[in-house]
Amino acid sequence: MYLVKTPLLLKKLYPGLIWNQNREECCIYLTFDDGPIPIVTPFVLKTLKQYNAKATFFCIGDNVRKHPDVFEQVKADGHTIGNHTLNHLRGWTTPTATYAENFKQCDALLNTVWFRPPYGRIKKQQIKALNILKPGLKIVMWDILSGDFDINLKPEACLKGVLKYTGNGSIVVFHDSLKAYPRLEYVLPLAMDYWSKQGYEFKSL
């Protein structure tokens, strides 16, 4: 079970995390989790370039190791890089020491102040531990969850949800993964075309 639009109550429970950007700006902040990988990440990069868009890629360290050429292309295109742990760990079921070490190993590869917890699951003691490890760390959640990872969600429904709830300052989650690709390939170009015609800019964090 997941919600496309993050409830205000959840944002208030974790005020130290980043859920959205300035609501006064006509900007959308696209983010992509779980890459980099061949085929899917290059498709995203090509689509972004068509709209002169910048985005933020929360990378799994193990995928960076496996696909360094794809990772270098993300950087070369001027997008922001974020840490998504080395092995996509689920915070709620992972001991804090293990979680922090996995984060640290990924940080050794990426050296970035941006972090998103996989699945959006992180314990308060883990937040504290990561902030000690990386002073100035910015933990990013989201305003809009596209649901592109849901294999039971039709692409048309995915697009409808994203367009319905995205607005000024929204941080939108997509996934540059093989699992999400059937929906991402359909939704991303159509959504960006729609938003672009509405006057939105696309910025990275």
Side-chain angles (χ1 to χ4, degrees), residues 39-87:
I39 300 175
V40 186
T41 306
F43 160 76
V44 172
L45 293 175
K46 181 180 178 181
T47 305
L48 293 173
K49 193 170 289 185
Q50 290 173 355
Y51 292 92
N52 194 30
K54 296 304 178 188
T56 304
F57 288 77
F58 289 95
C59 299
I60 295 173
D62 192 47
N63 281 340
V64 172
R65 288 176 175 173
K66 290 175 181 175
H67 311 293
D69 54 332
V70 183
F71 178 63
E72 288 302 320
Q73 188 59 56
V74 175
K75 292 198 297 181
D77 283 4
H79 301 292
T80 297
I81 302 298
N83 183 328
H84 204 46
T85 73
L86 187 71
N87 301 110

Coordinates of all heavy atoms in Angstrom, one line a residue, residues 39-87:
I39 N 20.2 0.8 -20.5 CA 18.9 0.9 -21.1 C 18.0 1.9 -20.4 O 17.6 2.9 -21.0 CB 18.1 -0.4 -21.2 CG1 19.0 -1.4 -22.0 CG2 16.8 -0.3 -21.9 CD1 18.4 -2.8 -22.1
V40 N 17.7 1.7 -19.1 CA 16.7 2.5 -18.5 C 17.3 3.9 -18.1 O 16.7 5.0 -18.5 CB 16.1 1.9 -17.2 CG1 15.0 2.7 -16.6 CG2 15.7 0.5 -17.5
T41 N 18.4 4.0 -17.5 CA 19.0 5.3 -17.2 C 19.3 6.1 -18.4 O 19.0 7.3 -18.5 CB 20.3 5.1 -16.3 OG1 19.9 4.3 -15.1 CG2 20.8 6.4 -15.8
P42 N 19.9 5.5 -19.5 CA 20.1 6.3 -20.7 C 18.8 6.8 -21.3 O 18.8 7.9 -21.8 CB 20.8 5.3 -21.6 CG 21.5 4.4 -20.7 CD 20.6 4.2 -19.5
F43 N 17.7 6.0 -21.2 CA 16.4 6.5 -21.7 C 16.0 7.8 -20.9 O 15.5 8.7 -21.5 CB 15.4 5.4 -21.5 CG 14.0 5.9 -21.5 CD1 13.3 6.3 -22.7 CD2 13.3 6.1 -20.3 CE1 12.0 6.9 -22.7 CE2 12.0 6.6 -20.3 CZ 11.4 7.0 -21.5
V44 N 16.2 7.7 -19.6 CA 15.8 8.9 -18.7 C 16.7 10.1 -19.1 O 16.2 11.2 -19.3 CB 16.0 8.5 -17.2 CG1 15.9 9.8 -16.4 CG2 15.1 7.5 -16.8
L45 N 18.0 9.9 -19.3 CA 18.9 11.0 -19.6 C 18.5 11.6 -21.0 O 18.5 12.8 -21.1 CB 20.3 10.5 -19.7 CG 20.9 10.0 -18.4 CD1 22.3 9.4 -18.6 CD2 21.0 11.2 -17.4
K46 N 18.2 10.8 -21.9 CA 17.8 11.3 -23.2 C 16.5 12.1 -23.1 O 16.4 13.2 -23.7 CB 17.5 10.1 -24.2 CG 17.1 10.5 -25.6 CD 16.9 9.3 -26.5 CE 16.5 9.7 -27.9 NZ 16.2 8.5 -28.7
T47 N 15.5 11.6 -22.3 CA 14.2 12.3 -22.2 C 14.5 13.6 -21.5 O 13.9 14.7 -21.9 CB 13.3 11.4 -21.4 OG1 13.1 10.2 -22.0 CG2 11.9 12.1 -21.3
L48 N 15.3 13.6 -20.4 CA 15.6 14.9 -19.7 C 16.2 15.9 -20.6 O 15.9 17.1 -20.6 CB 16.5 14.6 -18.5 CG 15.9 13.8 -17.4 CD1 17.0 13.4 -16.4 CD2 14.7 14.5 -16.7
K49 N 17.1 15.5 -21.5 CA 17.8 16.4 -22.3 C 16.9 17.0 -23.3 O 17.1 18.2 -23.7 CB 18.9 15.6 -23.1 CG 19.9 16.4 -23.8 CD 21.1 15.6 -24.3 CE 22.0 15.1 -23.2 NZ 23.2 14.5 -23.7
Q50 N 15.9 16.3 -23.7 CA 14.9 16.9 -24.7 C 14.2 18.1 -24.1 O 13.7 19.0 -24.9 CB 13.9 15.8 -25.1 CG 14.4 14.7 -26.0 CD 13.4 13.6 -26.2 OE1 12.3 13.6 -25.6 NE2 13.8 12.6 -27.0
Y51 N 14.1 18.2 -22.8 CA 13.4 19.3 -22.1 C 14.4 20.2 -21.4 O 13.9 21.0 -20.5 CB 12.3 18.8 -21.2 CG 11.2 18.1 -21.9 CD1 11.2 16.7 -22.2 CD2 10.1 18.8 -22.4 CE1 10.2 16.1 -22.9 CE2 9.1 18.2 -23.1 CZ 9.2 16.9 -23.4 OH 8.2 16.2 -24.1
N52 N 15.7 20.1 -21.7 CA 16.7 20.9 -21.0 C 16.5 20.8 -19.5 O 16.6 21.8 -18.8 CB 16.6 22.3 -21.5 CG 17.8 23.1 -21.1 OD1 18.9 22.6 -20.9 ND2 17.7 24.4 -20.8
A53 N 16.2 19.6 -19.0 CA 15.8 19.4 -17.6 C 17.0 18.8 -16.8 O 17.8 18.0 -17.3 CB 14.7 18.4 -17.5
K54 N 17.1 19.2 -15.6 CA 18.0 18.7 -14.6 C 17.2 17.9 -13.6 O 16.1 18.3 -13.2 CB 18.9 19.7 -13.9 CG 19.8 20.5 -14.9 CD 20.7 19.6 -15.7 CE 21.6 20.4 -16.7 NZ 22.3 19.5 -17.6
A55 N 17.8 16.8 -13.1 CA 17.2 15.9 -12.1 C 18.2 15.4 -11.1 O 19.3 15.8 -11.1 CB 16.5 14.8 -12.8
T56 N 17.7 14.7 -10.1 CA 18.5 14.1 -9.1 C 18.4 12.6 -9.1 O 17.3 12.0 -9.2 CB 18.1 14.6 -7.7 OG1 18.1 16.1 -7.7 CG2 19.0 14.1 -6.6
F57 N 19.5 11.9 -9.2 CA 19.6 10.5 -9.3 C 20.1 9.9 -7.9 O 21.3 10.1 -7.6 CB 20.5 10.0 -10.4 CG 19.9 10.3 -11.8 CD1 19.9 11.6 -12.3 CD2 19.4 9.2 -12.5 CE1 19.4 11.8 -13.6 CE2 18.8 9.5 -13.8 CZ 18.8 10.7 -14.3
F58 N 19.3 9.2 -7.2 CA 19.7 8.5 -6.0 C 20.1 7.1 -6.4 O 19.4 6.2 -6.7 CB 18.5 8.5 -5.0 CG 18.2 9.8 -4.4 CD1 17.2 10.7 -5.0 CD2 18.9 10.3 -3.4 CE1 17.0 11.9 -4.5 CE2 18.7 11.6 -2.9 CZ 17.7 12.4 -3.4
C59 N 21.5 7.0 -6.3 CA 22.1 5.8 -6.9 C 22.4 4.7 -5.9 O 22.9 5.0 -4.7 CB 23.4 6.2 -7.6 SG 23.2 7.3 -9.0
I60 N 22.2 3.5 -6.2 CA 22.6 2.3 -5.4 C 24.1 2.1 -5.7 O 24.5 2.0 -6.9 CB 21.8 1.1 -5.8 CG1 20.4 1.3 -5.4 CG2 22.4 -0.1 -5.1 CD1 19.4 0.2 -5.8
G61 N 24.9 2.1 -4.6 CA 26.4 2.0 -4.8 C 26.8 0.8 -5.6 O 27.7 0.8 -6.4
D62 N 26.1 -0.4 -5.4 CA 26.5 -1.6 -6.1 C 26.2 -1.4 -7.6 O 27.0 -2.0 -8.5 CB 25.7 -2.8 -5.6 CG 26.2 -4.1 -6.1 OD1 27.4 -4.3 -6.0 OD2 25.4 -4.9 -6.5
N63 N 25.2 -0.7 -8.0 CA 24.9 -0.4 -9.4 C 26.0 0.5 -10.0 O 26.3 0.4 -11.2 CB 23.5 0.1 -9.6 CG 22.5 -0.9 -9.6 OD1 22.7 -2.1 -9.7 ND2 21.2 -0.5 -9.3
V64 N 26.5 1.4 -9.2 CA 27.5 2.3 -9.7 C 28.8 1.5 -10.0 O 29.5 1.7 -11.0 CB 27.8 3.4 -8.6 CG1 29.1 4.2 -9.0 CG2 26.6 4.3 -8.5
R65 N 29.1 0.5 -9.1 CA 30.2 -0.3 -9.4 C 30.1 -1.2 -10.6 O 31.0 -1.4 -11.4 CB 30.4 -1.3 -8.2 CG 31.0 -0.6 -6.9 CD 31.0 -1.6 -5.8 NE 31.6 -1.1 -4.6 CZ 31.6 -1.8 -3.4 NH1 31.1 -2.9 -3.3 NH2 32.2 -1.2 -2.4
K66 N 28.8 -1.7 -10.8 CA 28.6 -2.6 -12.0 C 28.5 -1.8 -13.3 O 28.9 -2.3 -14.4 CB 27.3 -3.3 -11.8 CG 27.3 -4.3 -10.7 CD 25.9 -4.9 -10.5 CE 25.9 -6.0 -9.4 NZ 24.5 -6.4 -9.1
H67 N 28.1 -0.5 -13.3 CA 27.8 0.2 -14.5 C 28.5 1.6 -14.4 O 27.8 2.6 -14.5 CB 26.3 0.3 -14.7 CG 25.6 -1.0 -14.6 ND1 25.8 -2.0 -15.5 CD2 24.7 -1.4 -13.7 CE1 25.0 -3.0 -15.2 NE2 24.3 -2.7 -14.1
P68 N 29.8 1.6 -14.3 CA 30.4 2.9 -14.1 C 30.3 3.9 -15.3 O 30.2 5.1 -15.2 CB 31.9 2.6 -13.9 CG 32.1 1.2 -14.5 CD 30.7 0.5 -14.3
D69 N 30.2 3.3 -16.5 CA 30.0 4.1 -17.7 C 28.7 4.9 -17.7 O 28.6 6.0 -18.1 CB 30.1 3.3 -19.0 CG 29.2 2.1 -19.0 OD1 28.8 1.6 -17.9 OD2 28.8 1.6 -20.1
V70 N 27.6 4.2 -17.3 CA 26.3 4.8 -17.2 C 26.3 5.9 -16.1 O 25.8 7.0 -16.3 CB 25.2 3.8 -16.9 CG1 23.8 4.5 -16.8 CG2 25.2 2.7 -17.9
F71 N 27.0 5.6 -15.0 CA 27.1 6.6 -13.9 C 27.8 7.8 -14.4 O 27.4 9.0 -14.1 CB 27.8 6.0 -12.7 CG 28.0 6.9 -11.5 CD1 26.9 7.4 -10.9 CD2 29.3 7.2 -11.1 CE1 27.1 8.3 -9.8 CE2 29.5 8.1 -10.1 CZ 28.4 8.6 -9.4
E72 N 28.9 7.6 -15.1 CA 29.7 8.8 -15.6 C 28.8 9.6 -16.5 O 29.0 10.9 -16.6 CB 30.9 8.3 -16.3 CG 32.0 7.7 -15.4 CD 32.4 8.7 -14.3 OE1 32.6 9.9 -14.6 OE2 32.6 8.3 -13.1
Q73 N 27.9 9.0 -17.3 CA 27.1 9.8 -18.2 C 26.1 10.7 -17.4 O 25.8 11.8 -17.8 CB 26.3 8.9 -19.1 CG 25.5 9.6 -20.2 CD 26.4 10.5 -21.1 OE1 27.4 10.0 -21.7 NE2 26.2 11.8 -21.2
V74 N 25.6 10.1 -16.3 CA 24.7 10.9 -15.4 C 25.4 12.2 -14.9 O 24.9 13.3 -15.0 CB 24.2 10.1 -14.2 CG1 23.3 10.9 -13.3 CG2 23.3 8.9 -14.7
K75 N 26.6 12.0 -14.5 CA 27.4 13.1 -14.0 C 27.7 14.1 -15.1 O 27.6 15.3 -15.0 CB 28.7 12.6 -13.3 CG 28.4 11.9 -12.0 CD 29.7 11.8 -11.2 CE 30.8 11.0 -11.9 NZ 32.0 10.9 -11.0
A76 N 28.1 13.5 -16.3 CA 28.5 14.4 -17.4 C 27.4 15.3 -17.9 O 27.6 16.4 -18.4 CB 29.0 13.5 -18.6
D77 N 26.1 14.8 -17.7 CA 25.0 15.5 -18.1 C 24.5 16.6 -17.1 O 23.6 17.3 -17.3 CB 23.8 14.6 -18.4 CG 23.9 13.9 -19.7 OD1 24.9 14.0 -20.4 OD2 23.0 13.2 -20.1
G78 N 25.3 16.7 -16.0 CA 25.1 17.7 -15.0 C 24.0 17.5 -14.0 O 23.5 18.5 -13.4
H79 N 23.6 16.3 -13.8 CA 22.5 16.0 -12.8 C 23.1 15.8 -11.4 O 24.3 15.5 -11.3 CB 21.8 14.7 -13.2 CG 21.1 14.9 -14.6 ND1 20.1 15.7 -14.8 CD2 21.4 14.3 -15.8 CE1 19.8 15.6 -16.1 NE2 20.5 14.8 -16.7
T80 N 22.3 16.0 -10.4 CA 22.7 15.8 -9.0 C 22.7 14.4 -8.7 O 21.8 13.6 -9.1 CB 21.8 16.6 -8.1 OG1 21.9 18.0 -8.4 CG2 22.2 16.4 -6.6
I81 N 23.7 14.0 -7.9 CA 23.9 12.6 -7.5 C 23.5 12.4 -6.0 O 23.9 13.3 -5.2 CB 25.3 12.1 -7.7 CG1 25.7 12.2 -9.2 CG2 25.5 10.6 -7.2 CD1 24.9 11.4 -10.1
G82 N 22.7 11.4 -5.7 CA 22.4 11.2 -4.3 C 22.7 9.7 -3.9 O 22.8 8.8 -4.7
N83 N 22.9 9.5 -2.6 CA 23.2 8.2 -2.0 C 21.9 7.5 -1.8 O 21.0 8.0 -1.2 CB 24.0 8.4 -0.7 CG 24.5 7.2 0.0 OD1 23.8 6.1 -0.1 ND2 25.6 7.3 0.7
H84 N 21.9 6.2 -2.2 CA 20.7 5.4 -1.9 C 21.1 4.0 -1.3 O 20.4 3.0 -1.4 CB 20.0 5.1 -3.3 CG 18.5 4.8 -3.2 ND1 17.6 5.5 -2.4 CD2 17.7 3.8 -3.8 CE1 16.4 5.0 -2.5 NE2 16.5 4.0 -3.3
T85 N 22.2 4.1 -0.5 CA 22.9 3.0 0.1 C 23.5 2.1 -0.9 O 23.3 2.1 -2.1 CB 22.0 2.1 1.1 OG1 21.1 1.3 0.3 CG2 21.2 3.0 2.0
L86 N 24.5 1.3 -0.4 CA 25.2 0.4 -1.3 C 24.4 -0.8 -1.8 O 24.5 -1.2 -3.0 CB 26.4 -0.2 -0.5 CG 27.4 -1.0 -1.4 CD1 28.2 -0.1 -2.3 CD2 28.3 -1.8 -0.5
N87 N 23.5 -1.3 -1.0 CA 22.7 -2.5 -1.4 C 21.2 -2.3 -1.2 O 20.5 -3.3 -1.0 CB 23.2 -3.7 -0.6 CG 24.7 -4.0 -0.8 OD1 25.5 -3.7 0.2 ND2 25.0 -4.4 -1.9

